[in-house]
Amino acid sequence: AQTVTQSQPEMSVQEAETVTLSCTYDTSESDYYLFWYKQPPSRQMILVIRQEAYKQQNATENRFSVNFQKAAKSFSLKISDSQLGDAAMYFCAYRSAYSGAGSYQLTFGKGTKLSVIP
Amino acid sequence: EPEVTQTPSHQVTQMGQEVILRCVPISNHLYFYWYRQILGQKVEFLVSFYNNEISEKSEIFDDQFSVERPDGSNFTLKIRSTKLEDSAMYFCASSGGQLNSPLHFGNGTRLTVT
């Protein structure tokens, strides 16, 4: 079974600064997908960014980018120019590309709580 | 942009009672999911549903749980005899038919069992 580890329970960043949230995962599969989800105080789960394991290029979405190191099984999220609205729980998630059972379910890490300091 | 909707947003029930949590997935999605998040803990997979049947379920999803898609739009999670430890946030999600299709989550239903 795959596991996802987020080693930083809490992080803080000054507004307009850059912060990196770490995520590692354990899998024996060669093809998979990785996601970062944001959960603000409203508790809604919002997709931030996704990465296909077969792509070497790191995904980027505006101020959000990832550093995907496949050999190291590492998938960190970098938030540039942090804004107050970025304050939330951030969850890293893994999805297998092999879905014989017809399910594309996600395995989540425990999350990192990000605070943004004005 | 289409979104997953869940009702109610908050449900309070007494231990031993049955509850039904409702979800309307995105209309052209094919896969439907229920996840649970106990306060302060990680999001846990409960069950996935495809082609009108359960395609995968976790060990959490025992006999007290059931899912149903009673019509073309709703997707429900029933908990037959609630326990105190069922208190959690329950998220419904749906995704398209491709492997790289992300899961789109609803806003969740906060279930409180007293």
Side-chain angles (χ1 to χ4, degrees):
Chain A
Q2 294 79 26
T3 58
V4 178
T5 302
Q6 294 179 249
S7 59
Q8 306 152 316
E10 294 188 32
M11 291 279 286
S12 62
V13 61
Q14 205 78 31
E15 195 175 3
E17 296 296 309
T18 296
V19 65
T20 298
L21 309 183
S22 66
C23 171
T24 58
Y25 55 93
D26 186 26
T27 184
S28 58
E29 298 174 338
S30 59
D31 200 11
Y32 46 85
Y33 299 87
L34 297 166
F35 303 83
W36 278 97
Y37 279 86
K38 168 185 175 181
Q39 187 181 43
S42 65
R43 305 297 296 274
Q44 185 183 8
M45 296 286 286
I46 303 166
L47 176 68
V48 175
I49 197 165
R50 60 180 162 174
Q51 174 82 41
E52 289 91 343
Y54 62 84
K55 288 187 178 179
Q56 291 186 338
Q57 187 174 9
N58 289 323
T60 299
E61 286 287 341
N62 301 314
R63 298 183 293 108
F64 298 87
S65 61
V66 299
N67 183 6
F68 173 50
Q69 302 288 327
K70 191 172 183 179
K73 296 179 184 175
S74 169
F75 182 60
S76 61
L77 174 70
K78 186 171 84 170
I79 306 174
S80 304
D81 185 26
S82 298
Q83 300 174 359
L84 295 178
D86 295 334
M89 281 290 284
Y90 285 82
F91 292 96
C92 178
Y94 173 102
R95 172 198 267 175
S96 171
Y98 306 101
S99 182
S103 169
Y104 298 137
Q105 59 114 334
L106 298 172
T107 300
F108 285 90
K110 288 188 176 182
T112 296
K113 183 178 180 180
L114 177 67
S115 301
V116 180
I117 304 165
Chain B
E1 185 177 333
E3 57 183 28
V4 176
T5 57
Q6 288 186 245
T7 56
S9 57
H10 192 188
Q11 173 99 37
V12 181
T13 190
Q14 287 191 325
M15 194 167 53
Q17 295 296 305
E18 175 183 286
V19 294
I20 297 176
L21 309 183
R22 302 179 191 280
C23 170
V24 179
I26 294 174
S27 61
N28 62 348
H29 282 183
L30 302 176
Y31 295 86
F32 314 114
Y33 311 82
W34 283 101
Y35 283 80
R36 178 181 83 175
Q37 185 182 31
I38 294 172
L39 185 64
Q41 299 188 25
K42 70 176 180 179
V43 181
E44 301 174 293
F45 169 72
L46 292 178
V47 66
S48 60
F49 194 85
Y50 170 72
N51 200 27
N52 289 318
E53 61 183 18
I54 291 174
S55 50
E56 193 172 1
K57 60 182 180 179
S58 72
E59 58 192 24
I60 302 169
F61 193 87
D62 60 22
D63 290 344
Q64 68 163 148
F65 292 95
S66 63
V67 290
E68 195 176 36
R69 189 159 161 79
D71 53 43
S73 59
N74 290 287
F75 180 52
T76 62
L77 174 70
K78 182 191 291 186
I79 309 175
R80 284 191 189 81
S81 179
T82 52
K83 298 178 271 203
L84 293 176
E85 53 265 37
D86 293 328
S87 294
M89 197 77 169
Y90 288 81
F91 290 100
C92 174
S94 67
S95 67
Q98 296 180 336
L99 275 172
N100 65 349
S101 299
L103 271 64
H104 294 261
F105 286 83
N107 287 349
T109 293
R110 184 187 300 273
L111 177 65
T112 302
V113 182
T114 61

